[in-house]
Amino acid sequence: MSVRTRFAPSPTGFLHIGGARTALYNWLYARKNGGSFVLRVEDTDAERSTGESMEIILEGMKWLGLDWDEGPGKGGDFGPYNQSERVEIYDAYLKKLQDADLVYEDEGAIRFRVPDKTIVVNDTVCGEVAVNLKEQGSKRFDQETKQEVEANPDIVIRRPNGGYIFHFVNVVDDIEMGITHVIRGEDHLSNTPKHLALFEAFGATPPTFAHIPLNLNPNGSKMSKRDEGALIHEYREKGFLPEAVNNYMALLGWSAKDDQEIFTMEELTKRFDLSGVTKSNSKFDYAKCLWVNAEHIKQLSPGALAAGAAPFLDAAGIPSDDDRVPAALELARERVQIFEEIPKIIGTIFTEEVTYDPASVAKVSGRDDLPQVLEALATGLEKVEDWTAENIKPAIAAAAESIGAKMGALMLPCRIGVTGSTAGADLVPVLELLGKVEVVKRLKIFAEMQK
Ligand code: GLU
């Protein structure tokens, strides 16, 4: 039987990193096994589901490159793929339970009679979980009286207003859509015995279940949408690469069982397996996510680097058709973790007027030899005929010698005088890109400013 996985988001908010990771694992598993990846919209909660949220989720999936074979905008043999459009199917399944006397009405709601027997979940990641739903659900903790009280263990599957409940529609759709593997967050493990009871009531073979560990904050708390790195659209806005975000998400709860941490999507597809999914909860580490992205940026082709950086150059007013952009991007690629940082590194190359960072300027402005150093630099560099990095370096060395100083003593004033900051890309290639006239002009302006 060919593998069919699904991602089944409830469109009640943004695409969160936890949800996106679930989508990724399902996508990888389907792709690895030559199966199908289905996107199903669990929008039966009419009050909380919004079209806007769905758009954000679809956009996020598209940006990540997690393309679905069936689902919204794509169609497929098992649609519609929005649960809100599947009511007739649910009615027919309810009828099956009614005919088998497995449901009854209770104050307008419909309840499913849970069997009085041990149900065993054989989870691929978490192992065996055995539960008797009738016993387990017959008591509940009452928050008001702070006591255990009698409860009805039978599951509500339809609300008094006619709306179907998650457990029911989730199982019906997994049956109807022929889902073979359910890969989802561990928060759903406790729901799975209920789901298995429903599969059995419908006489259907349940899929293989794999509950993946929760993704928590470094301090062990649950991640909220306000936490850094929680929302997928923010990765896009900051200039992360989708393949790097996928790479990092893959590592949140899975390892290749060796030391490899940087993967292309092809490698991930080849190497991902449920046996590599860890049992313990994973801790989200934004710094590591940045590192993974930096590693991917280092490996980009020049064309892909230019394409990724383009929106950020535009936003910073750097003309992307400037001939010097490709070389400047090469200087930036080793220094940045995300594209958002690029203008800060190379912006000075393209500016008409240097912005001087006061803290950087303060590092040299007190030096007695500063006027002499700047003068020597301007004079020495002006003499360079063929303006290349190979010639600029010795010219700085010669300028230093001319005033009896070491070359190192000239580098910082040169950097600050020309670029306005102590930070940035390697100085000599930056000087090369700026051109002799501009470099000498900037050194003279800075010398004037320091008088
Ligand atoms: N709509 C459910 C959720 O977003 C899906 C659970 C499942 O994957 O079965 O948590």
Side-chain angles (χ1 to χ4, degrees):
M1 192 167 45
S2 111
V3 165
R4 289 176 60 81
T5 64
R6 86 302 194 270
F7 176 47
S10 304
T12 55
F14 296 105
L15 181 59
H16 193 271
I17 188 149
R21 183 193 54 163
T22 299
L24 172 68
Y25 284 18
N26 279 284
W27 184 91
L28 287 171
Y29 195 74
R31 293 289 170 262
K32 180 192 170 101
N33 293 289
S36 299
F37 173 57
V38 178
L39 179 57
R40 178 170 85 219
V41 184
E42 301 215 323
D43 58 352
T44 50
D45 187 343
E47 273 164 36
R48 295 179 60 227
S49 302
T50 68
E52 196 188 352
S53 161
M54 200 57 236
E55 274 313 305
I56 292 171
I57 293 171
L58 297 185
E59 275 307 307
M61 301 266 298
K62 284 181 198 159
W63 179 70
L64 288 168
L66 304 179
D67 56 323
W68 51 99
D69 304 302
E70 297 167 32
K74 200 82 198 239
D77 293 342
F78 302 87
Y81 291 89
N82 279 45
Q83 289 188 327
S84 56
E85 294 166 23
R86 297 174 63 82
V87 176
E88 280 170 21
I89 297 168
Y90 305 139
D91 289 344
Y93 270 77
L94 175 60
K95 176 108 187 358
K96 289 187 195 186
L97 296 182
Q98 280 164 337
D99 291 348
D101 196 25
L102 287 171
V103 289
Y104 60 92
E105 217 183 295
D106 178 20
E107 295 179 2
I110 294 181
R111 282 187 190 265
F112 167 67
R113 289 180 216 283
V114 295
D116 186 5
K117 67 173 190 182
T118 304
I119 296 176
V120 181
V121 182
N122 239 315
D123 192 86
T124 309
V125 177
C126 306
E128 254 186 41
V129 181
V131 171
N132 181 321
L133 290 171
K134 194 137 188 124
E135 285 169 12
Q136 185 201 45
S138 62
K139 295 257 184 301
R140 75 177 167 84
F141 189 75
D142 186 64
Q143 284 300 342
E144 259 171 46
T145 60
K146 305 279 179 224
Q147 272 177 357
E148 283 222 316
V149 292
E150 291 292 316
N152 186 344
D154 295 335
I155 311 164
V156 173
I157 59 170
R158 206 181 75 175
R159 299 185 188 88
N161 70 5
Y164 286 102
I165 296 281
F166 159 71
H167 304 296
F168 178 75
V169 293
N170 186 267
V171 169
V172 168
D173 285 347
D174 283 342
I175 296 171
E176 276 286 296
M177 295 180 179
I179 300 304
T180 59
H181 292 75
V182 168
I183 304 169
R184 61 185 175 190
E186 205 186 283
D187 46 336
H188 285 294
L189 184 60
S190 60
N191 292 326
T192 308
K194 294 178 187 155
H195 297 181
L196 285 176
L198 282 163
F199 277 104
E200 187 176 292
F202 290 123
T205 310
T208 298
F209 286 97
H211 286 89
I212 58 182
L214 297 182
N215 170 32
L216 304 172
N217 279 319
N219 66 6
S221 64
K222 214 174 152 233
M223 258 186 112
S224 90
K225 63 175 187 227
R226 277 170 292 278
D227 290 316
E228 186 159 52
L231 304 177
I232 296 301
H233 67 267
E234 291 184 354
Y235 286 90
R236 180 187 205 158
E237 287 158 15
K238 288 199 165 93
F240 278 83
L241 288 161
E243 55 269 36
V245 177
N246 282 321
N247 184 161
Y248 180 65
M249 289 195 301
L251 302 180
L252 278 173
W254 170 83
S255 88
K257 298 183 193 136
D258 57 21
D259 290 339
Q260 187 172 346
E261 291 198 294
I262 301 301
F263 298 90
T264 62
M265 282 305 265
E266 290 73 41
E267 285 174 313
L268 272 183
T269 307
K270 219 178 270 167
R271 304 222 30 206
F272 180 80
D273 206 359
L274 294 174
S275 66
V277 175
T278 51
K279 281 196 178 60
S280 53
N281 288 332
S282 49
K283 297 228 166 113
F284 181 77
D285 179 348
Y286 192 63
K288 177 144 187 194
C289 184
L290 285 167
W291 172 77
V292 170
N293 200 65
E295 292 302 304
H296 278 262
I297 286 183
K298 284 182 195 152
Q299 289 168 19
L300 287 180
S301 69
L305 177 64
F312 297 89
L313 299 185
D314 278 353
I318 298 173
S320 48
D321 57 351
D322 188 302
D323 293 348
R324 298 169 302 169
V325 164
L329 288 178
E330 288 307 325
L331 297 180
R333 93 152 79 213
E334 295 296 323
R335 302 240 170 187
V336 300
Q337 292 187 300
I338 46 180
F339 289 135
E340 191 184 53
E341 297 164 351
I342 289 182
K344 208 173 65 206
I345 302 285
I346 60 168
T348 188
I349 298 171
F350 304 93
T351 187
E352 297 269 305
E353 210 169 309
V354 179
T355 313
Y356 293 93
D357 164 46
S360 299
V361 172
K363 293 211 162 111
V364 291
S365 58
R367 270 169 63 167
D368 294 340
D369 64 346
L370 188 63
Q372 202 191 0
V373 163
L374 293 173
E375 170 71 32
L377 278 167
T379 315
L381 289 172
E382 203 150 26
K383 283 193 211 129
V384 176
E385 282 190 0
D386 185 11
W387 188 256
T388 61
E390 294 80 57
N391 294 340
I392 294 169
K393 226 173 163 187
I396 297 175
E401 218 185 302
S402 74
I403 55 168
K406 290 222 164 69
M407 185 176 167
L410 267 62
M411 294 310 271
L412 193 62
C414 185
R415 174 182 283 284
I416 295 166
V418 174
T419 71
S421 165
T422 51
D426 280 351
L427 182 60
V428 174
V430 169
L431 298 180
E432 184 182 21
L433 281 175
L434 275 168
K436 180 164 89 173
V437 175
E438 181 68 17
V439 167
V440 172
K441 185 182 104 189
R442 289 185 184 191
L443 284 168
K444 287 184 174 164
I445 291 174
F446 187 61
E448 274 306 306
M449 282 169 56
Q450 296 304 306
K451 278 187 183 155

